[in-house]
Amino acid sequence: MEYCGKCEKAKGSRPAVWIHQVRCEGAPPNQMGIRYHRIFLILLLLHEANAALKDPVQKWQTLSGAPPLVIARGGYSGLFPDSSHLAYQFALENSLPETVLFCDLKLSSDNVGFCKTCLVLNNSTLIAEVFPKGDKTYKVNGEDRHGWFSVDFTSDQLMHNVTLIQNVLSRPSVFDGTMGMSLVDDVVGLQPPQLWINVQYAQFFLDHKLNIEEYISSKAKEFGINYVSSPEVGFLKSLGVKLRKSNVKLVLRFLDEQLIEPSTKQSYGAILKDLKSVKTFASGILVPKTYIWPVNKDHYLQPATNLVKDAHDLGLEVYAYKFANDIFSSYNYSYDPSAEYLQFIDNSDFSVDGVLTDFPSTASGAIACLAHTKGNPLPPPGNDTRPLIITHNGASGIFPGGTDLAYRQAVEDGADIIDCSVQMSKDAVPFCLDSPDITKGTTAATMFLTKVATVNEIQKGSGIFSFDLSWSEIQTLKPDLVGPFSQQGLKRNPAAKNSGKLMTLADFLAFSKSSNVSGILVDIRNAPYLATRGIGIVDAVSSALINASYDKETRQQVLIASDDSAVLGAFNKFPGFKRVLQIGNVISDASNQSVEEVAKFADAVSISRGSVVQAHGSFLVQFTNVIDKMHTANLSVYVGLLKDEFMNLGFDFLANPMVEIVTYSSLMVDGIVTEFPATAAEYFRSPCSDFSKNLTYTIMPAKPGSLLSLTDPSVLPPAEGPAPVLEPADVVDPPLPAVTVGGHGAAPSPSNDSSTKSGATAVGASSGFCLLVAGLAALLAVSTR
């Protein structure tokens, strides 16, 4: 996969879809780096130290029956500049033992081979700054191509002067300019289990009197080459003659179907229809993943083609490419990259023989941990098994939050605890929705503009509030699914944008009772303000729970959550309920006194991700001791809010939401709060979720500080000051005011007094920790709300 295209960017703004934007040809890099000569020792994931005694036996539908190959494109190019020494080393240390290193071969003017994606070098190196007058325009497959080409520079010029940069703007730029280019010899020196050489432009180099065919045939045995791929039929046929006595596998790489293959003058689509002819000179094919699972114009999967079966029937291996955790491909995967790999390797009909990926550890986890586990039961949650999977408004990453569809999906996906964030209508009907401002989550903004108001006790800025509309009015609204990164191009399931219906608390409780979940969580907010409006939310929730017999329930656990200690205290009359204090703002520590106070009125705390792990410029720095402090007081700890979108993740999580789940699980949290319960359940069904098992490969937790130690501190953004320490005044709230008689329907208060809220729950507290995504200032939401 060559990320070499020109970028398009709206003037004066971030691109509408920038999540996998490549550098513009001729554009300057984000920043100049300095080349540092140092030895990087990466000890992030030492899978080798966990060598298995015996792995589960699995049957694969690959051509050979062996597990699919993980092929690391340019090493771990999802993190480091592609084809850098560090990228290749990181790929080997963090992937399956059989991982194949993929080298896109280029030649210098003195016929020295090196690895680099893209024919022109200015998209992914600093060559334009080192040799500003070295650009040329050449014919490439009949079209003019402008840039800096390796054929115009000696190996000495390239290896001693040119440094690499990341050419995908959503990836770390902090390594730009810090490492040089990799000779093929350098990659071979890492002793990879297998080596794959890709030759994208054999004819171009031949036009410049550089014969890649001769280069490969002379080096095949020395380098231990296992695979050679190319999109040029003539090149593969000719090379096959020279390598006929070797064990090198030749693979035809297919480009987009409408493009013309240069030697046969046929389109790749036409060649695809004649795989028998391909079998005469190749042992396999490397195809874009949409050749196998097409995607329609709306980005939803279509039925699989017969390509893999047809190729396997002819004895051809099939490898798929264009896999990367930070490339959006289909809404069917719900931003879980593991789900996409499983679609290709663990469906009921076929498995590809390998995947070419920028994130080989994620592919490795899918193969070693997640494949063939769909039928596995979820182990029960517990201290020695796994944390609870707690939803946030149901499966709100798939359907609008708080709707019947979101809750049904959550139950189907394996959630343990489904939640209802209770809001109140003007006529005191409790219902489930994330916010009292119903412009967030419904179509209210298009229907009740006259109801816009400002209620400073609830939020900064105006909104349309549930307590200003009757339940019958609210029922006229449609739910609205808006993801947190929609403005950056990451929408959530547009086909279901306005699907489902809002549920009253009574309906939610009836649904929960009839489901197989192990418990419910009822979240109560804004009780003091609602009391001034004549609405008693505590009494309304208590009555609903009693009417649904949850006060006598023994099969399902009831969790009452609030950011107000007085609200939790009001539920002391229900000894079977578990009370959860929501600590919305980020804290770096908790004083002993504050923990002692929390333990007086709560059984658990729900804390933000930023209160668990501190970060600097998208890199994790260290874990806090907040979890241990709470556990010492016998308080359960729930961490959230987890989302699958890669923009929500620090770089140490490798753009894989499952690594974040593994990390919190390894810290012995008692529950994770997530909008995508299916991702968590997928992991906990796998054998890799049992840390006691001695497996060849497992999905490892992030290790804060490991990646940060590889960066140049001068290119990181300024470090923020430490988050505050939780103190008793932050967690103890005044008693709840009496519900105002006759206050029903009163006008919104203009007061800006937030004295009824503790420091742990102040409006706007979900500041999160600031993570820089690809050198751009993207604020990541790390709180439970």
Side-chain angles (χ1 to χ4, degrees):
M1 170 168 47
E2 287 216 335
Y3 301 138
C4 310
K6 295 184 179 180
C7 65
E8 298 176 0
K9 185 174 182 179
K11 293 182 179 179
S13 67
R14 180 181 294 162
V17 181
W18 68 279
I19 58 174
H20 198 73
Q21 200 71 61
V22 298
R23 293 191 187 275
C24 301
E25 289 189 10
N30 284 351
Q31 58 193 14
M32 269 292 292
I34 302 172
R35 190 174 185 184
Y36 296 94
H37 297 281
R38 58 183 175 176
I39 299 175
F40 296 110
L41 180 61
I42 301 177
L43 298 175
L44 291 179
L45 310 174
L46 297 179
H47 299 301
E48 297 86 350
N50 244 353
L53 297 176
K54 193 172 185 179
D55 281 358
V57 177
Q58 296 179 338
K59 292 182 64 177
W60 294 94
Q61 297 187 79
T62 56
L63 182 63
S64 66
L69 287 176
V70 175
I71 309 160
R73 189 193 71 86
Y76 213 108
S77 52
L79 187 61
F80 302 102
D82 115 67
S83 303
S84 62
H85 183 82
L86 191 52
Y88 282 121
Q89 183 180 9
F90 194 88
L92 289 178
E93 293 177 352
N94 293 280
S95 309
L96 279 167
E98 302 82 12
T99 293
V100 183
L101 294 188
F102 185 91
C103 168
D104 211 325
L105 178 64
K106 302 294 183 292
L107 295 178
S108 62
S109 62
D110 51 343
N111 204 44
V112 174
F114 64 96
C115 303
K116 195 77 203 79
T117 302
C118 295
L119 181 62
V120 294
L121 301 178
N122 46 294
N123 290 332
S124 55
T125 75
L126 294 174
I127 193 170
E129 297 184 12
V130 180
F131 300 106
K133 297 182 179 179
D135 55 319
K136 298 285 181 63
T137 299
Y138 290 122
K139 287 283 185 185
V140 181
N141 293 336
E143 295 184 0
D144 286 342
R145 191 82 174 270
H146 180 80
W148 279 253
F149 297 84
S150 65
V151 296
D152 296 317
F153 301 92
T154 66
S155 58
D156 184 72
Q157 287 175 309
L158 295 174
M159 298 303 137
H160 292 92
N161 298 282
V162 178
T163 52
L164 305 175
I165 59 176
Q166 179 61 259
N167 71 328
V168 179
L169 298 185
S170 58
R171 297 174 180 177
S173 61
V174 296
F175 303 110
D176 288 1
T178 64
M179 46 192 103
M181 303 175 74
S182 297
L183 296 172
V184 181
D185 300 71
D186 297 329
V187 180
V188 172
L190 291 172
Q191 298 182 327
Q194 297 191 75
L195 179 62
W196 186 309
I197 299 294
N198 182 66
V199 179
Q200 203 74 6
Y201 299 99
Q203 186 58 50
F204 171 79
F205 285 98
L206 195 59
D207 293 342
H208 290 267
K209 298 181 172 52
L210 294 168
N211 194 321
I212 285 189
E213 182 185 318
E214 292 291 343
Y215 178 87
I216 291 176
S217 59
S218 66
K219 299 281 189 179
K221 186 174 182 180
E222 175 188 346
F223 288 161
I225 298 172
N226 304 95
Y227 298 85
V228 176
S229 61
S230 176
E232 299 182 14
V233 171
F235 168 76
L236 289 176
K237 286 183 175 180
S238 181
L239 182 64
V241 174
K242 291 183 171 62
L243 297 179
R244 62 180 178 273
K245 293 183 180 180
S246 73
N247 293 322
V248 178
K249 292 184 176 182
L250 301 184
V251 179
L252 177 62
R253 179 173 184 165
F254 282 77
L255 306 181
D256 291 344
E257 291 192 42
Q258 74 277 9
L259 294 179
I260 301 300
E261 192 281 316
S263 57
T264 64
K265 307 303 180 186
Q266 290 182 289
S267 71
Y268 287 99
I271 296 174
L272 191 68
K273 297 176 181 177
D274 187 17
L275 290 179
K276 284 185 179 180
S277 66
V278 175
K279 177 61 178 173
T280 63
F281 63 87
S283 62
I285 56 176
L286 175 63
V287 300
K289 58 189 180 182
T290 52
Y291 273 41
I292 299 169
W293 284 99
V295 176
N296 67 17
K297 62 181 179 60
D298 297 319
H299 301 290
Y300 287 93
L301 286 178
Q302 301 298 288
T305 68
N306 291 322
L307 174 59
V308 177
K309 287 183 175 181
D310 292 344
H312 281 176
D313 287 344
L314 293 170
L316 281 169
E317 294 176 323
V318 181
Y319 305 94
Y321 70 98
K322 291 190 177 179
F323 287 93
N325 295 9
D326 53 0
I327 295 179
F328 171 75
S329 56
S330 171
Y331 294 113
N332 295 80
Y333 304 128
S334 300
Y335 299 104
D336 175 10
S338 298
E340 181 174 25
Y341 290 113
L342 294 175
Q343 189 78 9
F344 285 80
I345 66 172
D346 191 30
N347 64 75
S348 59
D349 295 324
F350 62 83
S351 170
V352 297
D353 300 282
V355 291
L356 177 62
T357 174
D358 294 10
F359 293 84
S361 65
T362 306
S364 297
I367 293 168
C369 298
L370 308 175
H372 309 140
T373 63
K374 289 179 182 177
N376 289 2
L378 267 172
N383 293 333
D384 56 348
T385 51
R386 65 170 179 86
L388 289 165
I389 302 172
I390 305 172
T391 68
H392 179 239
N393 304 308
S396 53
I398 313 298
F399 291 105
T403 63
D404 56 338
L405 295 181
Y407 292 125
R408 288 174 189 169
Q409 187 68 49
V411 173
E412 181 181 326
D413 288 344
D416 299 301
I417 307 290
I418 57 174
D419 70 306
C420 174
S421 297
V422 180
Q423 310 305 333
M424 300 296 291
S425 68
K426 184 178 181 178
D427 47 349
V429 175
F431 67 99
C432 303
L433 193 66
D434 188 42
S435 171
D437 178 1
I438 58 176
T439 64
K440 304 168 184 177
T442 78
T443 56
T446 63
M447 298 183 66
F448 290 104
L449 281 176
T450 59
K451 297 287 188 178
V452 172
T454 299
V455 183
N456 292 325
E457 294 91 338
I458 302 294
Q459 67 181 30
K460 294 179 181 179
S462 60
I464 300 173
F465 296 94
S466 64
F467 43 75
D468 287 330
L469 281 77
S470 68
W471 175 239
S472 60
E473 289 176 310
I474 293 171
Q475 284 182 296
T476 66
L477 300 173
K478 291 182 178 180
D480 192 21
L481 176 58
V482 179
F485 306 105
S486 294
Q487 295 299 315
Q488 290 79 26
L490 297 180
K491 296 180 181 179
R492 288 180 173 177
N493 197 13
K497 179 175 173 59
N498 300 121
S499 299
K501 65 177 182 178
L502 297 178
M503 298 181 75
T504 64
L505 177 59
D507 290 339
F508 168 81
L509 296 176
F511 169 78
S512 304
K513 268 284 182 74
S514 65
S515 73
N516 60 356
V517 295
S518 58
I520 59 171
L521 183 148
V522 180
D523 187 7
I524 304 171
R525 305 253 177 165
N526 306 308
Y529 174 76
L530 289 171
T532 69
R533 300 294 303 272
I535 301 174
I537 188 172
V538 172
D539 288 342
V541 170
S542 298
S543 296
L545 289 167
I546 292 172
N547 290 339
S549 301
Y550 266 102
D551 57 329
K552 302 180 179 68
E553 175 65 32
T554 57
R555 183 177 66 89
Q556 293 180 333
Q557 187 178 28
V558 177
L559 281 65
I560 301 296
S562 181
D563 54 7
D564 193 312
S565 62
V567 169
L568 297 181
F571 283 87
N572 283 333
K573 58 186 177 182
F574 299 104
F577 293 1
K578 189 169 185 176
R579 295 160 298 168
V580 183
L581 177 66
Q582 303 267 15
I583 304 175
N585 55 327
V586 176
I587 58 175
S588 60
D589 199 354
S591 70
N592 292 333
Q593 295 84 355
S594 68
V595 176
E596 290 171 3
E597 286 295 333
V598 173
K600 292 177 182 178
F601 60 82
D603 307 292
V605 294
S606 181
I607 60 177
S608 67
R609 299 182 301 163
S611 298
V612 176
V613 59
Q614 298 171 347
H616 181 200
S618 276
F619 294 97
L620 306 187
V621 178
Q622 62 182 0
F623 293 125
T624 70
N625 65 352
V626 172
I627 293 175
D628 289 340
K629 285 278 187 77
M630 298 298 176
H631 279 168
T632 299
N634 292 320
L635 290 165
S636 299
V637 180
Y638 309 138
V639 176
L641 177 64
L642 276 61
K643 306 177 180 72
D644 277 9
E645 290 95 339
F646 82 91
M647 287 180 66
N648 185 56
L649 302 169
F651 290 134
D652 298 72
F653 295 127
L654 307 176
N656 183 0
M658 203 166 284
V659 174
E660 185 177 33
I661 293 168
V662 175
T663 301
Y664 296 138
S665 181
S666 72
L667 295 174
M668 303 302 290
V669 300
D670 302 281
I672 55 173
V673 183
T674 176
E675 297 182 328
F676 296 86
T679 305
E682 181 180 51
Y683 169 68
F684 292 124
R685 284 192 182 97
S686 77
C688 293
S689 65
D690 185 347
F691 292 146
S692 68
K693 288 189 175 180
N694 197 19
L695 303 174
T696 302
Y697 184 90
T698 192
I699 304 172
M700 296 290 284
K703 292 189 176 181
S706 297
L707 287 182
L708 189 66
S709 67
L710 304 178
T711 66
D712 172 17
S714 67
V715 301
L716 293 171
E720 293 188 341
V725 175
L726 190 70
E727 297 292 351
D730 300 324
V731 298
V732 179
D733 296 280
L736 292 174
V739 176
T740 304
V741 178
H744 180 75
S749 168
S751 170
N752 196 30
D753 179 19
S754 59
S755 61
T756 57
K757 286 188 174 291
S758 71
T761 62
V763 173
S766 58
S767 58
F769 56 90
C770 182
L771 297 183
L772 189 70
V773 176
L776 301 175
L779 186 66
L780 301 185
V782 297
S783 69
T784 57
R785 289 291 180 271

